[in-house]
Amino acid sequence: MLLKTFGWSFAVTVAGLAAAGVFWGWQGLAIVGILSILEISVSFDNAVINAGILRKMNAFWQKIFLTVGILIAVFGMRLVFPVVIVAITAKLGPIEAVKLAINDKAHYQELVTSAHPAIAAFGGIFLLMIFLDFLFEERDHKWLAWIEKPMAKMGKLDMLSVIVALVVLLVTAMTVATNVAHGGGDKTGTVLLAGVAGLITYLVVGGISGYFEDKLEEDEDGEEGEGGDEGTAGEKAAVPAANGTGAALGLAGKAAFFLFLYLEVIDASFSFDGVIGAFAITNDIFMMALGLGIGAMYIRSLTVFLVRKGTLDDYVYLEHGAHYAIGALAVILLATIKYEISEVVTGLVGVVLIGLSFASSVIRNRREGKPGDPTGAKAEVTSGV
């Protein structure tokens, strides 16, 4: 199981570190290794969030996530994205931007860093919307009940998460964006525009994927009511449940496609701070892409591992911890528009929150007499925290 899931990650790690040693020597080897660890620590909560979405898909789309998705994550976000940012910021062609990244690394780093306010506003608001929609949603299991119960009641108000996100964006633009650390000057307009773009992206991609998912569930309910058990081949497929105890609906067709896009945008939002933070270690785009790419491979493998083991079903507060980590990351991203915050802090916040939620899940399972038992009844319970 471990080798099957992490085999490609192990292989890419060996090949990547070997390539780093050949091209850049021991120093390059160390830098690539550090970047890999940085990416894993910063994006660990990303794996938990991804697993919660990926388990809704059928086997085919899970493979797409591991193949096409990893190409987008490694080459698209870790290599192409910074070059595109430079091309747009400096009004250069793509070839000129690549030449600049190779021949004038210091100026290239300066241009990417100057674009940080827009990147942070887009990613921060997108991630904030994920956290708010989770927080305002009524759910069976509550981790921090003293927060989640009143928030779920407030969530009955339509579009509350959008209103809160816009208020946060406005406050950010009128405070930290007025005198930014990256690029200097007043970036109020840039932050407002990028934040609204992040909000629109979330609403469009999440809304479309949610629409097709709801439609798929309605179609299945209708067929069950008619006594039929045959699905529409282009829209759904039955796949084994993650815990191996039965059949579960695996999304396919349009629903899975838009969920896949949603996953990729989430990954992009998580990668923003990693890409910017990597410049504190190196400004070599190829070394950066290799190190962050290795880390991204492990996040992908960890996502699939969580799905196949049914971990989110066994440890019900893990998703809570991951979403709180997302909320913290969103706030940190917005704060970095003006203030320098170490990536170590970002990574530790996520790891601590997920670790606490895992510990709460273990305590809950023991109290309920089903430690790690995916077949146990999932009664509504609060952690009492």
Side-chain angles (χ1 to χ4, degrees):
M1 174 66 178
L2 187 66
L3 185 60
K4 180 180 179 181
T5 305
F6 288 89
W8 278 106
S9 297
F10 295 151
V12 169
T13 300
V14 172
L17 292 178
V22 170
F23 288 106
W24 301 295
W26 289 106
Q27 182 180 6
L29 180 65
I31 290 174
V32 169
I34 292 171
L35 288 171
S36 302
I37 296 172
L38 169 69
E39 179 69 11
I40 294 172
S41 63
V42 170
S43 300
F44 184 81
D45 45 354
N46 190 11
V48 180
I49 299 299
N50 286 350
I53 300 172
L54 192 66
R55 62 179 176 174
K56 300 178 182 179
M57 298 180 179
N58 67 3
F60 170 78
W61 279 98
Q62 291 181 3
K63 290 180 180 179
I64 291 295
F65 175 75
L66 276 176
T67 52
V68 177
I70 195 63
L71 290 176
I72 296 174
V74 174
F75 296 103
M77 290 308 305
R78 274 75 180 180
L79 182 62
V80 177
F81 172 73
V83 174
V84 171
I85 288 297
V86 168
I88 295 174
T89 303
K91 298 180 180 179
L92 299 174
I95 296 178
E96 288 78 7
V98 172
K99 289 181 179 179
L100 180 66
I102 296 174
N103 301 322
D104 193 352
K105 295 182 176 65
H107 186 43
Y108 169 78
Q109 177 179 345
E110 180 183 344
L111 290 173
V112 174
T113 304
S114 67
H116 177 74
I119 296 171
F122 180 96
I125 294 300
F126 186 92
L127 294 177
L128 182 63
M129 282 297 298
I130 295 176
F131 170 66
L132 291 174
D133 275 350
F134 177 88
L135 190 63
F136 291 140
E137 182 181 353
E138 181 64 48
R139 53 189 66 253
D140 293 336
H141 303 288
K142 296 177 177 62
W143 181 34
L144 303 180
W146 57 279
I147 295 177
E148 294 167 17
K149 282 184 177 180
M151 290 298 103
K153 292 179 180 179
M154 293 176 60
K156 294 178 181 179
L157 297 173
D158 291 338
M159 305 300 289
L160 181 60
S161 57
V162 175
I163 295 172
V164 173
L166 287 174
V167 170
V168 170
L169 175 61
L170 183 61
V171 171
T172 301
M174 301 305 295
T175 55
V176 297
T178 56
N179 186 18
V180 304
H182 304 276
D186 189 341
K187 298 289 185 178
T188 300
T190 299
V191 168
L192 281 174
L193 184 61
V196 170
L199 178 61
I200 291 174
T201 301
Y202 175 84
L203 294 175
V204 170
V205 179
I208 292 176
S209 62
Y211 166 77
F212 283 111
E213 185 178 350
D214 292 341
K215 187 175 183 297
L216 183 61
E217 292 176 355
E218 290 175 2
D219 291 344
E220 189 194 7
D221 290 341
E223 290 175 357
E224 288 178 352
E226 296 171 2
D229 56 1
E230 294 295 327
T232 303
E235 292 294 329
K236 62 180 181 177
V239 296
N243 56 22
T245 60
L249 182 67
L251 297 183
K254 298 185 185 72
F257 172 73
F258 282 104
L259 271 182
F260 172 75
L261 291 183
Y262 182 56
L263 275 172
E264 292 306 313
V265 177
I266 290 176
D267 179 76
S269 299
F270 270 96
S271 69
F272 289 155
D273 60 330
V275 171
I276 298 297
F279 280 104
I281 301 172
T282 181
N283 53 17
D284 189 304
I285 59 171
F286 300 110
M287 199 179 296
M288 189 184 303
L290 184 57
L292 297 181
I294 291 174
M297 282 291 298
Y298 280 97
I299 296 301
R300 281 295 197 280
S301 296
L302 180 59
T303 297
V304 174
F305 179 82
L306 294 174
V307 172
R308 290 175 177 171
K309 293 289 288 185
T311 305
L312 300 185
D313 294 323
D314 298 343
Y315 304 97
V316 296
Y317 300 135
L318 268 181
E319 283 191 274
H320 294 71
H323 279 89
Y324 281 107
I326 281 182
L329 176 58
V331 173
I332 290 173
L333 268 177
L334 295 175
T336 57
I337 293 174
K338 184 174 183 177
Y339 304 104
E340 297 286 347
I341 300 177
S342 172
E343 288 69 35
V344 175
V345 174
T346 305
L348 283 177
V349 169
V351 171
V352 168
L353 286 170
I354 291 177
L356 290 174
S357 64
F358 177 78
S360 295
S361 299
V362 172
I363 293 172
R364 170 195 179 274
N365 288 344
R366 289 177 178 174
R367 186 173 62 238
E368 296 295 312
K370 47 178 182 297
D373 179 11
T375 63
K378 301 291 191 295
E380 180 173 354
V381 63
T382 62
S383 67
V385 178

